[in-house]
């Protein structure tokens, strides 16, 4: 399996990269870490005329906290995210999610931005960033725009990004107070695509009543899903087994998974319930300890 | 900016196992094929060619990565270590020694990749837990040994390193 021939450009500045995208975006493809794209090219599922390699744009490889936001460069490696003490402190959900992505050998190359724009509905980073209510910064020649992750994913492998645009940064709001968090996932073998994954964030008061939260599910629809209805019934309450069961039921009922050779629709619905419950319980227990 | 048209060959300059190489490659040439075909380093094995089997794993600027998921042109000026770089002056690396002693290989196809991952892993985990070794090995497929010997070999080297 060898990729089809392509014209190769490796720009050394963001401006050059955006100019190339403006010119060749329609027939071209950006490559950053390449851990999803190169398999696709090797299998010739895609054969772009132009490959624009942005892996040299080191200005886009950063993790920092600024203006109340955790800012992550599009070219930040998944491995850097996993090992970052800053991320562990301000967005531990991400640090819990990243080890589920492929293997350490692919996380050493794979980027955060690449995971977002690839938009696999089972992917861990999109799911976590949706839970964290993050925004992505998208640039083209003459325009910079911000899009909430909530609106970024359109359907399978499709995002609100045009051929002349590049995702350059991710902005995650930093909580004033830490919240309970949990990322849980089920796959047949470690490193496989998730059958179902869930991310949860919960805030509780001193008595252990839930103040607010977020719950997102992956692998159950064409895009990562926000399962807010399941959280809404928990607000103002202490978590009980019956409430947890009810939240799991609601989350599962709101999903619309497709069956495939890895798991039937019914099995995914079942997993959606079970993993919703596990995520909420884990996040709740953690929030009580804060 | 580096640019190359479809069939145009680019001169790729890399340091592999401490030695400099300058060889030509079309943009579409995978790094794994470049190592084998242009540099003559056939110790890096090519299995699935889509990042699943781990046989082609090398160290790229210190990190264990799949050489089939990179293009040779991307490796310009990089420092690479392949399995050929492990033995020094005809003496096998302790990992290679341990793999032999613990029956960590049979046909040997997956071994070069596993050795390169294990090397990075032991630097990051001087006292590895068995679970951590398994997690690292999840990025490699071995169809002969059943992994038990591989895990034992890595544990043995960790013990040796800790004196």
């Amino acid at each position: 399996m060898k990729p089809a021939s392509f014209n190769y450009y490796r720009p050394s500045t963001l401006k050059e990269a955006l100019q190339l995208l403006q010119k060749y975006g329609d027939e071209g493809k950006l490559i950053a870490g390449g851990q999803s794209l190169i398999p696709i090219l090797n299998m010739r599922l895609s054969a772009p005329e132009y490959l624009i390699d942005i892996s040299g744009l080191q200005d886009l490889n950063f993790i920092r906290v600024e203006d109340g936001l955790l800012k992550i460069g599009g070219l930040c490696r998944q491995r850097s995210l996993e090992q970052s003490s800053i991320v562990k402190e301000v967005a531990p959900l991400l640090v819990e999610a990243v080890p589920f992505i492929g293997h350490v050998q692919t996380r050493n190359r794979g980027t955060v931005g690449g995971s977002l724009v690839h938009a696999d509905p089972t992917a861990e980073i999109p799911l976590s960033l949706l839970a964290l209510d993050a925004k992505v910064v998208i640039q083209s020649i003459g325009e910079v725009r911000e899009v909430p992750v909530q609106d970024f994913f359109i359907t399978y492998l499709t995002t609100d990004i045009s051929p002349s645009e590049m995702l350059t940064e991710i902005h995650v709001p930093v909580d004033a107070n830490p919240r309970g968090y949990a990322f849980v996932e089920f796959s047949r073998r470690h490193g496989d695509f998730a059958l179902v994954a869930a991310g949860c964030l919960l805030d509780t008061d001193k008595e252990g009543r839930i103040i607010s939260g977020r719950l997102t599910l992956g692998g159950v629809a064409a895009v990562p899903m926000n399962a807010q209805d399941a959280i809404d019934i928990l607000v103002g309450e202490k978590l009980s087994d019956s409430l947890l069961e009810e939240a799991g039921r609601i989350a599962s009922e709101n999903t619309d998974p497709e069956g495939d050779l890895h798991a039937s629709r019914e099995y995914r619905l079942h997993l959606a319930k079970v993993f919703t419950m596990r995520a909420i319980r884990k996040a709740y227990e953690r929030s009580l300890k804060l | 900016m580096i640019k190359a048209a479809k069939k145009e060959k680019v001169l790729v300059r890399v340091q592999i196992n401490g030695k400099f190489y300058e060889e030509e490659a079309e943009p579409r040439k995978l790094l794994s094929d470049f190592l084998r075909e242009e540099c003559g380093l056939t110790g890096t094995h090519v299995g699935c060619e889509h990042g699943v089997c781990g046989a082609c794993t090398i160290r790229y600027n210190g990190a264990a990565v799949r050489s089939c998921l990179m293009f040779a042109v991307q490796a310009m000026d990089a420092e690479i270590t392949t399995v050929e770089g492990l033995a020094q002056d005809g003496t096998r690396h302790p990992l290679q020694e341990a793999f032999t002693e613990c029956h960590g290989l049979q046909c040997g196809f997956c071994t070069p990749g596993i050795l390169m991952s294990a090397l990075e892993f032991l630097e990051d985990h001087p006292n590895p837990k068995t679970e951590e070794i398994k997690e690292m090995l999840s990025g490699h497929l071995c169809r002969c040994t059943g992994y038990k010997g591989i895990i034992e070999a890595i544990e043995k080297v960790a013990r040796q390193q800790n004196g």
Side-chain angles (χ1 to χ4, degrees):
Chain A
M1 292 196 310
K2 313 292 173 195
S5 294
F6 49 79
N7 299 289
Y8 177 79
Y9 288 90
R10 185 182 167 97
S12 33
T13 63
L14 177 60
K15 194 177 165 200
E16 274 178 359
L18 294 176
Q19 283 167 344
L20 287 165
L21 270 180
Q22 183 91 346
K23 201 166 165 190
Y24 300 123
D26 285 331
E27 300 169 276
K29 200 82 189 142
L30 281 182
I31 182 167
Q35 302 300 287
S36 298
L37 181 61
I38 296 184
I40 290 170
L41 298 179
N42 286 0
M43 289 186 260
R44 302 215 182 181
L45 297 170
S46 168
E49 278 293 299
Y50 299 90
L51 204 64
I52 303 164
D53 180 2
I54 54 170
S55 60
L57 305 183
Q58 281 311 306
D59 288 354
L60 295 182
N61 183 3
F62 59 81
I63 296 172
R64 58 173 174 256
V65 173
E66 202 174 77
D67 312 322
L69 296 169
L70 167 66
K71 296 186 175 178
I72 303 168
L75 273 180
C76 173
R77 306 274 178 204
Q78 292 156 3
R79 184 78 170 141
S80 311
L81 200 64
E82 183 180 351
Q83 294 179 321
S84 161
S85 52
I86 300 174
V87 179
K88 193 169 172 55
E89 191 187 324
V90 302
L93 179 70
L94 276 169
V95 175
E96 185 152 275
V98 171
F100 286 99
I101 306 171
H103 310 284
V104 65
Q105 298 87 351
T106 58
R107 296 197 293 275
N108 273 334
R109 291 286 299 163
T111 64
V112 179
S115 174
L116 280 161
V117 297
H118 185 56
D120 186 294
T122 68
E124 291 79 3
I125 286 176
L127 183 61
S128 309
L129 289 172
L130 177 62
L132 289 161
D133 209 10
K135 286 183 176 156
V136 294
V137 179
I138 296 171
Q139 289 194 46
S140 58
I141 290 287
E143 196 191 359
V144 181
R145 62 190 182 103
E146 280 190 19
V147 179
V149 168
Q150 178 79 55
D151 303 327
F152 181 65
F153 300 106
I154 294 171
T155 182
Y156 293 101
L157 311 181
T158 310
T159 66
D160 171 40
I161 199 163
S162 77
S164 61
E165 291 179 316
M166 185 195 303
L167 188 157
T168 51
E169 284 185 40
I170 298 106
H171 292 174
V172 183
V174 174
D175 297 326
N177 300 307
R179 288 182 283 178
Y181 66 92
F183 186 94
V184 293
E185 170 172 322
F186 184 75
S187 57
R188 296 273 185 196
R189 291 164 303 190
H190 178 80
D192 280 6
F193 292 105
L195 294 184
V196 167
C200 183
L201 290 161
L202 281 182
D203 241 342
T204 50
D205 65 16
K206 280 183 208 137
E207 278 75 47
R209 283 188 296 264
I210 292 162
I211 302 169
S212 65
R214 301 268 294 175
L215 175 73
T216 55
L217 294 170
V220 294
V223 295
M225 204 187 91
N226 188 349
Q228 203 57 43
D229 290 352
I231 293 294
D232 288 346
I233 64 151
L234 305 175
V235 172
E237 308 283 345
K238 290 182 185 180
L239 193 65
S240 64
D241 287 349
S242 58
L243 260 180
L244 188 60
E245 180 88 18
E246 181 66 2
R249 189 186 60 77
I250 291 173
S252 175
E253 276 177 6
N254 287 348
T255 65
D256 187 19
E258 283 182 18
D260 56 26
L261 80 165
H262 302 292
S264 64
R265 176 182 160 84
E266 290 69 27
Y267 185 41
R268 280 201 160 88
L269 286 168
H270 169 73
L271 288 174
K273 180 180 174 189
V274 172
F275 279 76
T276 291
M277 291 168 64
R278 287 187 192 174
I280 292 173
R281 185 183 292 283
K282 195 170 179 187
Y284 183 74
E285 283 169 0
R286 279 180 172 153
S287 78
L288 294 182
K289 287 182 192 147
L290 291 169
Chain B
M1 179 151 71
I2 301 169
K3 58 179 172 182
K6 278 186 176 179
K7 303 276 180 187
E8 189 186 337
K9 293 206 167 173
V10 189
L11 198 62
V12 180
R13 205 174 45 239
V14 282
Q15 192 184 336
I16 309 171
N17 305 327
K19 189 179 153 197
F20 286 94
Y21 289 76
E22 272 196 343
E23 302 292 342
E24 289 187 328
E26 277 182 45
R28 69 171 183 146
K29 185 96 172 179
L30 296 172
L31 180 57
S32 46
D33 290 335
F34 178 79
L35 293 171
R36 292 175 57 85
E37 294 165 11
E38 310 307 325
C39 306
L41 297 166
T42 51
T44 298
H45 292 168
V46 173
C48 72
E49 298 191 287
H50 64 285
V52 175
C53 77
C56 70
T57 304
I58 58 165
R59 294 192 78 183
Y60 181 84
N61 293 332
V65 305
R66 311 286 204 224
S67 61
C68 77
L69 296 188
M70 283 191 68
F71 295 110
V73 284
Q74 296 186 286
M76 193 72 88
D77 296 324
E79 277 182 36
I80 290 171
T81 311
T82 65
V83 69
E84 288 94 340
L86 287 183
Q88 296 295 324
D89 305 321
T91 308
R92 283 188 296 206
H93 187 277
L95 264 171
Q96 290 170 308
E97 224 26 83
F99 267 63
T100 315
E101 288 163 13
C102 301
H103 195 75
L105 73 155
Q106 198 166 309
C107 85
F109 192 85
C110 67
T111 315
I114 295 180
L115 289 171
M116 302 322 287
S117 280
L119 207 61
E120 183 200 34
F121 174 79
L122 284 171
E123 286 173 14
D124 291 348
H125 302 80
N127 293 300
K129 298 189 191 99
T130 308
E131 278 310 308
E132 290 172 330
I133 298 175
K134 285 185 184 173
E135 159 123 24
M136 176 275 289
L137 281 176
S138 73
H140 292 274
L141 295 179
C142 167
R143 301 291 79 171
C144 304
T145 73
Y147 302 100
K148 191 165 176 288
I150 299 172
I151 293 166
E152 281 172 13
I154 295 169
E155 287 178 334
K156 182 170 188 175
V157 176
R159 279 197 304 274
Q160 286 169 355
Q161 284 178 352
N162 294 323

